[in-house]
Amino acid sequence: MLKYHFSLLLVLVAFSLHSQCPTGDVFLSTQAEVDSFVATYPTCQMIMGNLKVGPDEESADIVNLNGLANLNTVTGFLLVENNSALTGIGGLSSLTTVGEDLLILNNPALNSLIPLTRLTSLGGSLRVNHNGSLPNLLGLTGVTEVPGDLNVDGNASMMFLLGLNAITSVSGEVQISQNPALGSLTGLDNLASIGERLLISDNPMLVTLGNLSALESIGGGFTLALNASLPSLEGLSALGTIGGSLVITDHAALSSLEALSNLTSIGDFLQITFNPALTSLSGLDNIEALTISNLFIQGNTLLTSCAVESICVYLVEEMEESDISANAEGCKDEDEVVTACISSTDGVTPASIALAPNPTAGQLQLRDFNAERVDVFTPQGQRVATYQDPAKLLDLSTLPSSVYYLHLLIEGEEYVARVVKM
């Protein structure tokens, strides 16, 4: 009975608090309306609906949110928008819970989110867009998960993403774009998974992705575009899977893809285009070719080395559409890349060693030499066949189509040659 009375008391207290609040959505478009909120509802702590602060078009009327100082919960979305004179959001310092999206949009004078440090529960997306004076995201340090999208876009003064350090997962997409002062992704250090797409685009001062070192999986595609100062993909070494396409395009300084060496699968097309400093596709070696739907390698004017395992297997097996063009000698077109795939080796091979035909459908002739032993390895280093004293012929017909490495023991010396099994 005592437990029953206590539960009833909690319900009555909650009802009493709610009864001191407006019913449904609350839209405050002027400073007078913000000020009158606390006068009209002095004990209101929870809005059972959406809260919008700001007019439909940009206005300098609202200069502070002090009238909202008692609020700790908004069950719907919270939108702070179009307030050209608003420099701080101190009136939201008690806020702990937003049931749906948190949207901070087009507040050009806003210079701090620090009053939001008590916010720990977010039920939807987080969007911080077009706040021209905002230098970072400090203030959002209590948010650990974003169930919707994370969008940081068009913030002219933002140099770091400090404040997002507690976030480990984003269920929707992550978009970081058109932030002209953004130099690093400091603040995303603990982000391990993204449920949908990752877009990092048009951040001309971005020089490192090092703070993405915890990122292991992207559920959708990954597009990296128009980040003119980015020299490498260092920081992405933990990334293992991408559920959609991988697009790396329009980077004036990008010279290396080595950091993607642990990436094993993508879910759609692979596009490497218009990266004029890129010389090699090394780093894409371990992508399983079967996970690539289409291949586009175009306009990389210094790119000479395209014969990495994933590309070789894709081209030799003629899996889907490919367009290789306008790159440097050695990678100008598909024929050049296929030739490089066949002829290149991982070891020193004497000129007298000849393997034919290469590519082969199964039977491989060992011409002009006698091998004492031949071991056949996959690109991942797994031995799949061994031949003792094979004479002049190897039968590879039982092996799946792929690129293989032959370790040949000849007169006590070991040599390595690459062969393509169709």
Side-chain angles (χ1 to χ4, degrees):
M1 180 65 70
L2 179 62
K3 183 177 180 182
Y4 170 78
H5 285 307
F6 180 71
S7 299
L8 179 60
L9 178 62
L10 288 179
V11 171
L12 291 174
V13 169
F15 179 79
S16 176
L17 289 175
H18 293 170
S19 68
Q20 301 301 314
C21 296
T23 58
D25 300 336
V26 175
F27 297 147
L28 307 174
S29 59
T30 68
Q31 185 66 56
E33 290 176 351
V34 173
D35 295 339
S36 66
F37 183 86
V38 69
T40 307
Y41 307 103
T43 62
C44 180
Q45 297 179 10
M46 178 184 293
I47 290 180
M48 300 292 290
N50 304 313
L51 171 60
K52 178 186 176 184
V53 182
D56 292 335
E57 297 182 359
E58 189 172 308
S59 168
D61 184 78
I62 296 178
V63 296
N64 69 71
L65 305 185
N66 296 341
L68 303 176
N70 292 329
L71 286 181
N72 59 40
T73 301
V74 176
T75 63
F77 67 72
L78 170 56
L79 170 61
V80 180
E81 180 181 37
N82 294 333
N83 302 291
S84 61
L86 185 67
T87 60
I89 52 175
L92 297 177
S93 59
S94 297
L95 191 67
T96 62
T97 303
V98 176
E100 297 179 9
D101 300 340
L102 173 58
L103 312 166
I104 303 174
L105 314 177
N106 196 31
N107 304 286
L110 185 65
N111 57 41
S112 176
L113 299 181
I114 289 177
L116 287 173
T117 51
R118 294 186 181 181
L119 180 65
T120 57
S121 179
L122 178 65
S125 299
L126 171 60
R127 299 180 184 271
V128 183
N129 305 146
H130 302 287
N131 302 286
S133 300
L134 193 63
N136 55 56
L137 298 176
L138 280 170
L140 296 172
T141 52
V143 179
T144 58
E145 296 182 5
V146 178
D149 302 332
L150 170 60
N151 189 312
V152 182
D153 180 18
N155 301 289
S157 298
M158 189 169 293
M159 301 177 65
F160 308 103
L161 302 181
L162 285 167
L164 302 182
N165 305 65
I167 295 176
T168 59
S169 67
V170 176
S171 298
E173 73 168 26
V174 174
Q175 178 174 330
I176 302 167
S177 61
Q178 298 182 34
N179 301 290
L182 188 67
S184 82
L185 302 184
T186 301
L188 292 178
D189 308 65
N190 294 306
L191 181 61
S193 66
I194 297 172
E196 298 179 9
R197 181 182 66 146
L198 171 59
L199 171 64
I200 303 174
S201 174
D202 201 10
N203 304 288
M205 300 301 292
L206 186 65
V207 295
T208 177
L209 302 178
N211 300 93
L212 289 176
S213 58
L215 185 61
E216 298 176 351
S217 65
I218 300 171
F222 178 19
T223 297
L224 193 67
L226 295 164
N227 303 290
S229 300
L230 190 67
S232 74
L233 304 186
E234 183 178 353
L236 292 175
S237 58
L239 185 60
T241 61
I242 296 173
S245 57
L246 172 58
V247 177
I248 301 173
T249 186
D250 292 280
H251 293 93
L254 185 65
S255 60
S256 173
L257 305 180
E258 290 283 356
L260 291 176
S261 59
N262 287 319
L263 183 63
T264 58
S265 68
I266 66 176
D268 205 335
F269 62 86
L270 173 60
Q271 177 181 334
I272 311 294
T273 52
F274 307 111
N275 303 290
L278 189 64
T279 59
S280 171
L281 296 186
S282 182
L284 303 180
D285 313 59
N286 296 317
I287 299 175
E288 172 56 54
L290 291 173
T291 68
I292 303 172
S293 66
N294 294 285
L295 178 65
F296 306 98
I297 305 173
Q298 303 161 311
N300 307 286
T301 52
L302 293 183
L303 183 60
T304 59
S305 178
C306 291
V308 298
E309 299 303 330
S310 57
I311 305 301
C312 288
V313 174
Y314 182 93
L315 293 177
V316 168
E317 296 189 13
E318 298 180 341
M319 300 175 71
E320 294 288 349
E321 178 186 353
S322 63
D323 188 339
I324 300 177
S325 58
N327 305 300
E329 193 75 33
C331 194
K332 281 186 175 180
D333 55 38
E334 183 174 331
D335 289 340
E336 281 193 352
V337 179
V338 170
T339 298
C341 288
I342 294 171
S343 63
S344 61
T345 67
D346 267 9
V348 179
T349 305
S352 60
I353 292 179
L355 305 172
N358 190 7
T360 178
Q363 304 300 313
L364 183 68
Q365 297 179 33
L366 311 181
R367 296 179 177 176
D368 303 325
F369 67 94
N370 290 314
E372 301 153 32
R373 175 188 173 103
V374 179
D375 293 308
V376 183
F377 290 85
T378 67
Q380 291 73 38
Q382 179 185 7
R383 182 166 57 188
V384 292
T386 297
Y387 302 85
Q388 293 282 358
D389 298 318
K392 297 291 185 182
L393 188 67
L394 293 182
D395 183 2
L396 306 179
S397 59
T398 60
L399 296 179
S401 298
S402 187
V403 176
Y404 294 96
Y405 289 99
L406 305 185
H407 288 231
L408 305 110
L409 185 63
I410 304 171
E411 297 180 358
E413 298 288 335
E414 186 171 285
Y415 303 93
V416 179
R418 177 151 50 177
V419 64
V420 177
K421 165 63 168 54
M422 295 186 298

